[in-house]
Amino acid sequence: METPVFEEIDPADDCDCPGCQYRRRPPPYPPAGRPAPGHRALAVTAATAAALGAGSAGALPAAAHAPGRPGVTAGEEPDTPQGKRSPLHGPDGRPLPDTAPDPLPGITRAEIIDRAQTWVDAKVPYSLTEYWSDGYRQDCSGYVSMAWKLPGNEWTGSLASYADRITKEELQPGDILLFHNAADPEKGSHVTIFGGWTDSARTEYTAYEQTPPHTRRQATPYAYWSNSASFLPYRYKGVTTGAAGAPRGGDRPGESTFPGAAAFGPGADSADVTRLGRLLVRRGGARFYREGPGPRWTDADRRATRAFQRAQGWRGAEADGLPGPHTWALLVTGGGRDIPPGRESAAPSSHGVPGYPGRALFRPGAVNDHVTRLGRRLVAKGYGRYYTSGPGPRWGEADRRAVEAFQRAQGWRGGAADGHPGPETWRRLFL
């Protein structure tokens, strides 16, 4: 059984107002766990460094790793809630030896997105001082350091030294949107990974980001919810291009490049067709399939592909129902806009399960009859304790919690039990 993939949502306590940010802000402990000196001591240290000039900057404890990073002056370390620059950490939580830096590691766009998705799937908790099992710090800049496979943990003040400035029009999956508030790094500094446009007007994109309470992937207005004008696009200097400009990926990280146009269309029969169908189902195309997806190309594959292409705003030859490199790239990286709900649906299966309407109908703000139907089925299955009224047509936290409880009852954990119904959740509910 394939684990369903769902979108992340804003948790109830993920509030960006100054009061909530202050309440959530942990004490500024350095990685070693010792209490940081008071603000007066920090000010004296900074003033002393400025007075002595660059020659004494190496005396600052946080600058020990600065010479091993390109374009960062020793001593330019952050006083920021995102955490300081640091080496990778081992399984015991201790810093690994800081060796001489190698040339920037090469990485494809699909590898960047694949690595970013691993933290989304694991729901890595946000932390300024903790390090995940891969050695990277669990904050926004540590997340980008991990996705780019950098040799250490960077911060918003140093990430740009690994990248080149680009324009909005040049953005591709794996690039970042960075805001570093040099005047006061604690106010607004943040970074997200660009996953692809969700609309043809380029007003919204899929953002991978590490933010309280855990890593998430969700549609985000360009360039960000707040301080939008301050977020600038950057491209990692070590990024490489895959075949035909398409990133690698599929059902699992790094599974394949674009197989080529000959792999799809009438008469095609291969695992690539199955993979395409599964990707389309995840993006809202389940209603086109009466059964499957399977390895033999059918009209269902063509109609689902065309629906996805038209969802991107493409028309004519660009929406012919045959996947090209651009269509494939959006599907495997999670970029672009999902297939919207429509009137056309699959007939119920022989055991009476209604066709899955697509995940786009179960998102924050969604209002439709399928939400009501889902809620009533959850109540009938014994998962109605989360509803104080209803169920009704507006998707809410009660729906999400009820779905999560049902998914956990199936033995699912992690990203498979995030409270968003996928095809398998839907099938089991209506059996």
Side-chain angles (χ1 to χ4, degrees):
M1 180 188 70
E2 183 176 69
T3 300
V5 178
F6 309 113
E7 289 282 339
E8 294 292 328
I9 66 169
D10 282 315
D13 61 346
D14 189 9
C15 178
D16 291 329
C17 72
C20 289
Q21 287 184 345
Y22 180 82
R23 174 174 54 81
R24 290 197 303 265
R25 184 181 301 168
Y29 296 141
R34 298 187 299 273
H39 292 294
R40 181 186 300 269
L42 287 174
V44 170
T45 302
T48 302
L52 294 176
S56 63
L60 290 178
H65 309 291
R69 305 291 182 261
V72 179
T73 304
E76 291 185 357
E77 298 299 325
D79 179 15
T80 168
Q82 69 188 273
K84 299 178 183 295
R85 293 172 60 242
S86 62
L88 300 183
H89 280 49
D92 59 357
R94 297 180 181 179
L96 296 175
D98 191 32
T99 58
D102 296 326
L104 292 181
I107 189 170
T108 66
R109 296 189 179 282
E111 286 178 306
I112 294 173
I113 297 300
D114 289 340
R115 291 172 67 87
Q117 184 66 38
T118 60
W119 277 29
V120 174
D121 293 339
K123 292 189 175 181
V124 175
Y126 184 89
S127 175
L128 312 176
T129 58
E130 297 296 323
Y131 294 80
W132 196 238
S133 57
D134 51 22
Y136 290 93
R137 191 179 56 250
Q138 298 167 208
D139 59 5
C140 66
S141 46
Y143 181 45
V144 172
S145 300
M146 181 279 298
W148 281 0
K149 203 162 58 176
L150 296 182
N153 289 283
E154 299 301 321
W155 70 299
T156 56
S158 61
L159 280 173
S161 65
Y162 288 88
D164 296 315
R165 272 288 307 277
I166 59 175
T167 65
K168 175 183 177 180
E169 290 69 27
E170 294 174 309
L171 275 168
Q172 296 185 51
D175 298 333
I176 64 171
L177 289 161
L178 172 67
F179 170 35
H180 175 63
N181 184 359
D184 188 348
E186 293 191 14
K187 292 186 177 179
S189 296
H190 189 50
V191 61
T192 70
I193 299 172
F194 180 83
W197 297 108
T198 63
D199 63 340
S200 58
R202 298 186 176 185
T203 62
E204 187 180 84
Y205 68 101
T206 299
Y208 294 80
E209 62 176 324
Q210 178 68 340
T211 186
H214 54 69
T215 321
R216 69 184 182 186
R217 169 186 176 269
Q218 69 171 17
T220 301
Y222 185 85
Y224 198 63
W225 303 96
S226 58
N227 299 314
S228 180
S230 299
F231 280 79
L232 302 175
Y234 286 87
R235 175 166 298 158
Y236 175 49
K237 293 178 180 178
V239 73
T240 60
T241 303
R248 297 188 298 111
D251 292 342
R252 294 293 181 269
E255 188 167 2
S256 68
T257 59
F258 175 58
F264 308 103
D269 189 344
S270 70
D272 294 317
V273 177
T274 303
R275 187 177 305 124
L276 171 74
R278 289 173 177 171
L279 291 168
L280 288 166
V281 166
R282 293 177 182 176
R283 303 304 299 274
R287 68 178 186 272
F288 296 98
Y289 293 89
R290 295 178 183 272
E291 59 183 26
R296 184 179 296 278
W297 179 269
T298 67
D299 191 57
D301 298 300
R302 183 190 62 80
R303 290 185 292 124
T305 301
R306 184 176 62 184
F308 179 77
Q309 291 168 333
R310 292 179 69 86
Q312 315 313 311
W314 306 342
R315 296 295 182 268
E318 292 182 327
D320 60 0
L322 296 173
H326 194 186
T327 300
W328 186 262
L330 291 178
L331 284 170
V332 299
T333 62
R337 183 180 289 278
D338 289 348
I339 299 171
R343 296 179 181 178
E344 187 175 10
S345 62
S349 65
S350 59
H351 45 68
V353 176
Y356 174 62
R359 64 177 181 172
L361 297 180
F362 307 106
R363 288 180 171 178
V367 180
N368 57 76
D369 292 337
H370 296 289
V371 176
T372 304
R373 187 179 195 179
L374 174 77
R376 289 174 178 171
R377 189 62 178 174
L378 286 164
V379 171
K381 286 281 191 176
Y383 299 89
R385 65 182 180 275
Y386 301 100
Y387 294 97
T388 57
S389 61
R394 182 178 297 278
W395 176 264
E397 179 65 9
D399 300 296
R400 190 197 67 78
R401 294 181 65 190
V403 172
E404 181 183 17
F406 175 78
Q407 291 169 331
R408 287 185 172 275
Q410 313 309 304
W412 303 342
R413 296 295 183 268
D418 64 355
H420 288 261
E424 184 62 18
T425 299
W426 183 269
R427 186 186 70 83
R428 294 194 181 195
L429 267 173
F430 286 91
L431 280 176

Short mmCIF file of all heavy atoms in Angstrom, two decimals, residues 166-199:
data_model
loop_
_atom_site.label_atom_id
_atom_site.label_comp_id
_atom_site.label_asym_id
_atom_site.label_seq_id
_atom_site.Cartn_x
_atom_site.Cartn_y
_atom_site.Cartn_z
N ILE A 166 19.09 36.21 -8.31
CA ILE A 166 18.36 36.02 -9.55
C ILE A 166 17.10 36.87 -9.50
O ILE A 166 16.81 37.53 -8.50
CB ILE A 166 17.99 34.53 -9.77
CG1 ILE A 166 17.15 34.01 -8.59
CG2 ILE A 166 19.24 33.69 -9.96
CD1 ILE A 166 16.64 32.59 -8.79
N THR A 167 16.33 36.84 -10.58
CA THR A 167 15.08 37.58 -10.63
C THR A 167 13.91 36.66 -10.33
O THR A 167 14.03 35.43 -10.35
CB THR A 167 14.87 38.20 -12.02
OG1 THR A 167 14.71 37.15 -12.99
CG2 THR A 167 16.06 39.07 -12.41
N LYS A 168 12.78 37.26 -10.09
CA LYS A 168 11.56 36.48 -9.85
C LYS A 168 11.26 35.57 -11.05
O LYS A 168 10.86 34.42 -10.87
CB LYS A 168 10.39 37.43 -9.59
CG LYS A 168 9.04 36.74 -9.46
CD LYS A 168 7.92 37.75 -9.27
CE LYS A 168 6.55 37.06 -9.20
NZ LYS A 168 5.45 38.05 -9.02
N GLU A 169 11.47 36.10 -12.26
CA GLU A 169 11.18 35.33 -13.47
C GLU A 169 12.09 34.12 -13.62
O GLU A 169 11.74 33.15 -14.30
CB GLU A 169 11.31 36.22 -14.71
CG GLU A 169 10.22 37.29 -14.85
CD GLU A 169 10.33 38.38 -13.79
OE1 GLU A 169 11.46 38.62 -13.31
OE2 GLU A 169 9.28 38.97 -13.45
N GLU A 170 13.26 34.14 -12.99
CA GLU A 170 14.22 33.04 -13.12
C GLU A 170 14.02 31.96 -12.09
O GLU A 170 14.67 30.92 -12.14
CB GLU A 170 15.65 33.59 -13.02
CG GLU A 170 16.06 34.50 -14.17
CD GLU A 170 17.42 35.12 -13.93
OE1 GLU A 170 17.64 35.70 -12.84
OE2 GLU A 170 18.27 35.02 -14.83
N LEU A 171 13.15 32.16 -11.11
CA LEU A 171 12.98 31.20 -10.03
C LEU A 171 12.60 29.82 -10.55
O LEU A 171 11.73 29.68 -11.41
CB LEU A 171 11.89 31.69 -9.06
CG LEU A 171 12.34 32.65 -7.97
CD1 LEU A 171 11.13 33.28 -7.28
CD2 LEU A 171 13.22 31.93 -6.94
N GLN A 172 13.27 28.80 -10.00
CA GLN A 172 12.98 27.41 -10.29
C GLN A 172 13.03 26.62 -8.99
O GLN A 172 13.63 27.07 -8.01
CB GLN A 172 13.99 26.84 -11.29
CG GLN A 172 13.97 27.49 -12.67
CD GLN A 172 14.92 26.79 -13.62
OE1 GLN A 172 14.90 25.58 -13.77
NE2 GLN A 172 15.78 27.58 -14.25
N PRO A 173 12.40 25.42 -8.96
CA PRO A 173 12.44 24.62 -7.74
C PRO A 173 13.86 24.41 -7.23
O PRO A 173 14.76 24.08 -8.00
CB PRO A 173 11.79 23.30 -8.18
CG PRO A 173 10.85 23.71 -9.26
CD PRO A 173 11.55 24.81 -10.00
N GLY A 174 14.06 24.61 -5.94
CA GLY A 174 15.38 24.48 -5.33
C GLY A 174 16.04 25.80 -5.03
O GLY A 174 17.01 25.86 -4.26
N ASP A 175 15.56 26.90 -5.65
CA ASP A 175 16.05 28.24 -5.31
C ASP A 175 15.46 28.65 -3.96
O ASP A 175 14.60 27.96 -3.41
CB ASP A 175 15.67 29.24 -6.40
CG ASP A 175 16.30 28.91 -7.76
OD1 ASP A 175 17.37 28.28 -7.77
OD2 ASP A 175 15.70 29.27 -8.78
N ILE A 176 15.89 29.77 -3.43
CA ILE A 176 15.38 30.22 -2.14
C ILE A 176 14.90 31.66 -2.23
O ILE A 176 15.27 32.41 -3.14
CB ILE A 176 16.45 30.11 -1.02
CG1 ILE A 176 17.64 31.04 -1.32
CG2 ILE A 176 16.87 28.68 -0.82
CD1 ILE A 176 18.63 31.16 -0.16
N LEU A 177 14.08 32.04 -1.27
CA LEU A 177 13.66 33.42 -1.05
C LEU A 177 14.15 33.81 0.34
O LEU A 177 13.75 33.20 1.34
CB LEU A 177 12.14 33.56 -1.17
CG LEU A 177 11.65 33.39 -2.61
CD1 LEU A 177 10.18 33.06 -2.65
CD2 LEU A 177 11.93 34.65 -3.41
N LEU A 178 15.05 34.77 0.38
CA LEU A 178 15.80 35.08 1.60
C LEU A 178 15.57 36.52 2.04
O LEU A 178 15.65 37.44 1.24
CB LEU A 178 17.30 34.85 1.34
CG LEU A 178 18.29 35.30 2.42
CD1 LEU A 178 18.13 34.45 3.67
CD2 LEU A 178 19.72 35.19 1.88
N PHE A 179 15.31 36.67 3.33
CA PHE A 179 15.25 38.00 3.95
C PHE A 179 16.19 37.98 5.14
O PHE A 179 15.95 37.28 6.12
CB PHE A 179 13.84 38.34 4.39
CG PHE A 179 13.75 39.59 5.25
CD1 PHE A 179 14.58 40.69 5.05
CD2 PHE A 179 12.82 39.68 6.27
CE1 PHE A 179 14.52 41.83 5.83
CE2 PHE A 179 12.72 40.82 7.07
CZ PHE A 179 13.57 41.89 6.85
N HIS A 180 17.28 38.75 5.04
CA HIS A 180 18.18 38.92 6.17
C HIS A 180 18.13 40.37 6.60
O HIS A 180 18.54 41.27 5.85
CB HIS A 180 19.61 38.53 5.82
CG HIS A 180 20.58 38.81 6.92
ND1 HIS A 180 20.50 38.17 8.15
CD2 HIS A 180 21.62 39.68 7.01
CE1 HIS A 180 21.46 38.64 8.93
NE2 HIS A 180 22.15 39.55 8.26
N ASN A 181 17.62 40.60 7.78
CA ASN A 181 17.53 41.95 8.32
C ASN A 181 18.85 42.27 9.01
O ASN A 181 19.04 41.96 10.19
CB ASN A 181 16.36 42.04 9.31
CG ASN A 181 16.14 43.45 9.83
OD1 ASN A 181 16.87 44.38 9.46
ND2 ASN A 181 15.14 43.63 10.66
N ALA A 182 19.77 42.86 8.27
CA ALA A 182 21.10 43.13 8.81
C ALA A 182 21.06 44.08 10.00
O ALA A 182 21.89 43.99 10.90
CB ALA A 182 22.00 43.70 7.71
N ALA A 183 20.10 45.01 10.00
CA ALA A 183 20.02 45.98 11.09
C ALA A 183 19.63 45.30 12.40
O ALA A 183 20.11 45.68 13.47
CB ALA A 183 19.00 47.07 10.74
N ASP A 184 18.76 44.29 12.33
CA ASP A 184 18.33 43.57 13.51
C ASP A 184 17.91 42.17 13.08
O ASP A 184 16.75 41.94 12.74
CB ASP A 184 17.17 44.29 14.20
CG ASP A 184 16.82 43.67 15.55
OD1 ASP A 184 17.33 42.57 15.84
OD2 ASP A 184 16.06 44.28 16.31
N PRO A 185 18.84 41.20 13.05
CA PRO A 185 18.53 39.87 12.54
C PRO A 185 17.38 39.18 13.25
O PRO A 185 16.78 38.26 12.70
CB PRO A 185 19.84 39.10 12.76
CG PRO A 185 20.91 40.15 12.77
CD PRO A 185 20.27 41.35 13.43
N GLU A 186 17.05 39.61 14.47
CA GLU A 186 15.97 38.97 15.21
C GLU A 186 14.60 39.39 14.70
O GLU A 186 13.59 38.78 15.06
CB GLU A 186 16.07 39.29 16.71
CG GLU A 186 17.28 38.65 17.38
CD GLU A 186 17.19 38.75 18.89
OE1 GLU A 186 16.10 39.05 19.39
OE2 GLU A 186 18.20 38.53 19.56
N LYS A 187 14.52 40.40 13.88
CA LYS A 187 13.24 40.92 13.42
C LYS A 187 13.02 40.58 11.95
O LYS A 187 13.51 41.28 11.07
CB LYS A 187 13.15 42.43 13.64
CG LYS A 187 13.10 42.82 15.12
CD LYS A 187 12.87 44.32 15.29
CE LYS A 187 12.75 44.68 16.78
NZ LYS A 187 12.54 46.13 16.98
N GLY A 188 12.31 39.51 11.71
CA GLY A 188 11.86 39.18 10.36
C GLY A 188 12.77 38.31 9.53
O GLY A 188 12.34 37.78 8.51
N SER A 189 14.04 38.13 9.90
CA SER A 189 14.94 37.33 9.09
C SER A 189 14.39 35.93 8.90
O SER A 189 14.00 35.26 9.88
CB SER A 189 16.33 37.25 9.74
OG SER A 189 16.92 38.52 9.80
N HIS A 190 14.34 35.46 7.66
CA HIS A 190 13.75 34.15 7.38
C HIS A 190 14.16 33.72 5.98
O HIS A 190 14.57 34.55 5.16
CB HIS A 190 12.23 34.21 7.51
CG HIS A 190 11.55 32.88 7.46
ND1 HIS A 190 11.94 31.81 8.24
CD2 HIS A 190 10.48 32.43 6.72
CE1 HIS A 190 11.16 30.78 8.00
NE2 HIS A 190 10.28 31.12 7.07
N VAL A 191 14.01 32.43 5.70
CA VAL A 191 14.33 31.92 4.36
C VAL A 191 13.41 30.74 4.06
O VAL A 191 13.09 29.94 4.94
CB VAL A 191 15.81 31.49 4.27
CG1 VAL A 191 16.14 30.37 5.25
CG2 VAL A 191 16.17 31.08 2.85
N THR A 192 12.94 30.67 2.80
CA THR A 192 12.11 29.56 2.35
C THR A 192 12.71 28.96 1.09
O THR A 192 13.47 29.63 0.37
CB THR A 192 10.66 30.00 2.05
OG1 THR A 192 10.66 30.81 0.87
CG2 THR A 192 10.07 30.79 3.21
N ILE A 193 12.36 27.72 0.80
CA ILE A 193 12.79 27.04 -0.42
C ILE A 193 11.65 27.11 -1.42
O ILE A 193 10.51 26.76 -1.11
CB ILE A 193 13.18 25.59 -0.14
CG1 ILE A 193 14.35 25.55 0.85
CG2 ILE A 193 13.56 24.87 -1.43
CD1 ILE A 193 14.68 24.14 1.33
N PHE A 194 11.96 27.57 -2.62
CA PHE A 194 10.96 27.71 -3.67
C PHE A 194 10.70 26.34 -4.30
O PHE A 194 11.62 25.67 -4.77
CB PHE A 194 11.47 28.69 -4.73
CG PHE A 194 10.52 28.92 -5.89
CD1 PHE A 194 9.47 29.83 -5.77
CD2 PHE A 194 10.68 28.22 -7.08
CE1 PHE A 194 8.61 30.04 -6.84
CE2 PHE A 194 9.82 28.44 -8.14
CZ PHE A 194 8.78 29.35 -8.02
N GLY A 195 9.41 25.92 -4.32
CA GLY A 195 9.06 24.63 -4.86
C GLY A 195 8.34 24.66 -6.19
O GLY A 195 8.05 23.62 -6.76
N GLY A 196 8.04 25.87 -6.71
CA GLY A 196 7.33 25.98 -7.98
C GLY A 196 6.10 26.87 -7.85
O GLY A 196 5.54 27.03 -6.76
N TRP A 197 5.70 27.48 -8.95
CA TRP A 197 4.54 28.37 -8.95
C TRP A 197 3.25 27.55 -8.87
O TRP A 197 3.15 26.46 -9.44
CB TRP A 197 4.51 29.22 -10.21
CG TRP A 197 5.67 30.15 -10.35
CD1 TRP A 197 6.72 30.05 -11.21
CD2 TRP A 197 5.92 31.33 -9.56
NE1 TRP A 197 7.60 31.09 -11.02
CE2 TRP A 197 7.14 31.89 -10.02
CE3 TRP A 197 5.23 31.95 -8.52
CZ2 TRP A 197 7.68 33.04 -9.46
CZ3 TRP A 197 5.77 33.10 -7.96
CH2 TRP A 197 6.97 33.63 -8.43
N THR A 198 2.26 28.08 -8.18
CA THR A 198 0.97 27.42 -8.09
C THR A 198 -0.08 28.09 -8.97
O THR A 198 -1.20 27.59 -9.06
CB THR A 198 0.46 27.41 -6.64
OG1 THR A 198 0.25 28.76 -6.18
CG2 THR A 198 1.45 26.72 -5.72
N ASP A 199 0.26 29.20 -9.60
CA ASP A 199 -0.70 29.87 -10.50
C ASP A 199 0.06 30.50 -11.66
O ASP A 199 1.25 30.81 -11.57
CB ASP A 199 -1.52 30.94 -9.75
CG ASP A 199 -0.67 32.07 -9.20
OD1 ASP A 199 0.55 31.87 -9.04
OD2 ASP A 199 -1.22 33.14 -8.92
#
